[in-house]
Amino acid sequence: MGRSAVNGQLDLLLLASLGAGEAHGYALIARIHERSGSRLELQEGSVYPALHKLEASGSVASRWADDGGGRRRVYALTTAGQTELARRAEEWNGFAAAVRGVLGAAS
Amino acid sequence: MGRSAVNGQLDLLLLASLGAGEAHGYALIARIHERSGSRLELQEGSVYPALHKLEASGSVASRWADDGGGRRRVYALTTAGQTELARRAEEWNGFAAAVRGVLGAAS
DNA sequence: GCCTATACCTAGATTGCCTAGGTATGGGAC
DNA sequence: GTCCCATACCTAGGCAATCTAGGTATAGGC
């Protein structure tokens, strides 16, 4: 098992991070690392395919930006993506509550 | 994706449920279903292999019980299993906090 | 002109769990 | 008294998520 182990929440994490403003892949990795309190260290090999999948499904849109530096693909949340984010966040809250319920009963 | 989607927390759920007292496989499924507020419906095909794995790693011990009815394999948490439960619970709390951190920043 | 950092990409392997079967026993219907 | 269903256990194989381990390209420091 890898060091971060996102346990099925990769899409949620990416959508939520994009909810804070458009960004390119590398920046998203940094953003998630930061906001998770350094607990999540996503790998590029996980993030890029996930972003492509989210774009294919219409949750995010991308454009190429050449701000002087090298090529960058900047992703932004679409309207459908905002809906999807809300749906997944609720799903996560339900799952977390379910685990808390099972854990809480033991203590 | 199945209907319950335990997202890598199957072992934790089983250990936590056994923390509330020894039980056999079928009863564990019912216990988790109940304590999760009916949100988690584990399948036998997930639970039994997981219990065997936990027994092989020393976290649980089993004995056959024939209380009048058909054969039943009753599982109980070992001392090592209690340590493992604490470790995994802490791991879960860390992960949940990380996700909250990423989600919270968006709102 | 080379090395490093930034940035992006993909194929293939691994892992974890579910699907879909199967066995066995006991009790109620009839 | 036998058929069916519920309880209880088990396994092989498949599938989906994501990680590993490579690769490409550009810009800037030295």
Side-chain angles (χ1 to χ4, degrees), chain B residues 58-98:
Chain B
S59 291
V60 306
S62 75
R63 61 183 170 79
W64 283 100
D66 40 299
D67 47 352
R71 78 216 163 119
R72 287 179 165 185
R73 195 163 185 167
V74 176
Y75 290 90
L77 215 52
T78 63
T79 307
Q82 290 174 350
T83 309
E84 180 68 8
L85 167 55
R87 194 185 67 71
R88 281 183 180 273
E90 198 168 348
E91 204 171 87
W92 160 260
N93 284 328
F95 177 63

Side-chain angles (χ1 to χ4, degrees), chain A residues 10-36:
Chain A
L10 179 54
D11 290 356
L12 169 62
L13 292 168
L14 292 174
L15 292 172
S17 296
L18 283 175
E22 61 173 23
H24 63 283
Y26 236 67
L28 280 174
I29 292 174
R31 200 177 271 186
I32 289 173
H33 181 249
E34 193 184 328
R35 303 200 172 171
S36 69

Side-chain angles (χ1 to χ4, degrees), chain B residues 13-68:
Chain B
L13 292 168
L14 291 173
L15 291 172
S17 297
L18 282 175
E22 61 173 22
H24 64 284
Y26 237 66
L28 280 174
I29 293 175
R31 202 178 268 184
I32 290 173
H33 180 249
E34 192 185 329
R35 302 200 173 171
S36 69
S38 304
R39 278 177 284 234
L40 301 176
E41 267 180 272
L42 302 187
Q43 305 303 308
E44 301 169 46
S46 312
V47 168
Y48 289 113
L51 285 172
H52 299 161
K53 201 190 69 189
L54 287 172
E55 181 161 32
S57 73
S59 291
V60 306
S62 75
R63 61 183 170 79
W64 283 100
D66 40 299
D67 47 352

